[in-house]
Amino acid sequence: MCIRDRSNAAVDDSSVVSEKALGMARNTLVAVNAIFLLENAVDALSLWVGRPPAGLGYTEYAHRGTAWLTFALFLSTAVLGAIFRGAFHFDSRAKTVRTLAYVWAAQNVILALGTFRRIQLYVDLSGLTSLRILGILGTSLVVTGFALVVLMIRKRLTLGWLFHRKLDALVVFSVLYVVAPTELLSTEWNQRRLFDGQYAPLLNVVASTHANENVPALVKLLAHPDLSLIHISEPTRPY
């Protein structure tokens, strides 16, 4: 697990990176930086306004952000993993390429923050659910993946180390999702919104009444001033 293990360190074989390889790496990173800059700039307009672009619903808007983020994780792992091997870690002429790689990593983080914002808008609109908690954890996992890519470059580690650490992160986040009481957390969040006079999460509260783990949060609705909501605080059992 130690990142200073020699077996995980990239090997400087004293070979010289060719000018062609440097040029290809530089041009590739300039291109992906330009694409991501355009996406982040267009995205920022909607995020600042606080609503999806015209013609897009909140669901589609959130899903589009998740798709972009998944694509970004795959692309960053493939491209940077292919570039930063062996002598490329050590060649002084590759300084510009390393700088472009860090800029791209930063743009990936901005993309991830935009996805968090999408999820927030979605939750604000209709409440929290287990699937939206999964989306939050998944986005956090992607951010962790970006951090690992940057660490691989800074510490001159191998692509094998990167894949192993990403698998470790996947296991940790998967276990966290399995053991977390996501239904209870969602219902607790939603019932608090109801007490604040926001009725949009009501549908998700009704849908969660079958789960016994939600009882502590549902019982609190008995104190809600709107008597029409009291009946949904009585958990139902499926036949």
Side-chain angles (χ1 to χ4, degrees):
M1 294 292 291
C2 179
I3 63 175
R4 296 186 182 278
D5 189 330
R6 292 182 63 85
S7 63
N8 290 324
V11 177
D12 183 4
D13 57 7
S14 298
S15 62
V16 178
V17 179
S18 68
E19 290 292 340
K20 181 178 179 180
L22 279 170
M24 288 182 60
R26 182 176 58 252
N27 293 341
T28 298
L29 289 174
V30 167
V32 294
N33 267 298
I35 293 171
F36 277 63
L37 179 61
L38 178 62
E39 168 64 20
N40 282 328
V42 172
D43 221 23
L45 295 177
S46 298
L47 295 175
W48 287 335
V49 172
R51 63 173 180 266
L56 280 182
Y58 279 93
T59 301
E60 186 179 355
Y61 187 53
H63 290 174
R64 190 181 72 168
T66 302
W68 253 104
L69 202 60
T70 303
F71 170 73
L73 175 63
F74 171 78
L75 193 63
S76 66
T77 302
V79 172
L80 296 179
I83 291 176
F84 289 96
R85 295 180 297 172
F88 227 110
H89 275 294
F90 304 92
D91 197 305
S92 59
R93 295 173 302 157
K95 182 177 180 181
T96 300
V97 175
R98 285 191 287 271
T99 300
L100 287 170
Y102 291 140
V103 172
W104 189 29
Q107 291 215 69
N108 282 319
V109 172
I110 293 173
L111 190 66
L113 293 176
T115 303
F116 278 123
R117 174 62 174 158
R118 283 180 167 92
I119 295 173
Q120 179 198 341
L121 292 173
Y122 198 15
V123 170
D124 287 345
L125 174 71
S126 59
L128 190 62
T129 65
S130 291
L131 285 178
R132 289 163 200 175
I133 291 177
L134 178 61
I136 294 170
L137 288 175
T139 304
S140 301
L141 175 61
V142 173
V143 173
T144 301
F146 293 149
L148 289 171
V149 171
V150 172
L151 190 60
M152 178 197 73
I153 298 173
R154 288 188 62 83
K155 298 294 184 180
R156 298 175 178 176
L157 300 169
T158 63
L159 188 59
W161 173 90
L162 178 62
F163 279 124
H164 280 99
R165 297 296 79 79
K166 285 193 173 186
L167 285 175
D168 290 342
L170 176 61
V171 170
V172 170
F173 278 88
S174 297
V175 170
L176 181 60
Y177 178 72
V178 169
V179 302
T182 56
E183 286 284 350
L184 177 58
L185 291 173
S186 299
T187 306
E188 183 73 32
W189 172 278
N190 292 330
Q191 66 88 11
R192 290 181 181 179
R193 296 283 302 280
L194 291 174
F195 273 101
D196 290 337
Q198 302 175 37
Y199 283 65
L202 181 59
L203 182 62
N204 290 319
V205 172
V206 173
S208 66
T209 56
H210 67 278
N212 289 335
E213 68 176 295
N214 294 330
V215 171
L218 292 172
V219 168
K220 296 177 182 178
L221 288 176
L222 292 171
H224 197 284
D226 187 344
L227 298 180
S228 65
L229 296 179
I230 292 179
H231 73 281
I232 71 171
S233 66
E234 300 173 358
T236 59
R237 294 180 181 274
Y239 291 103

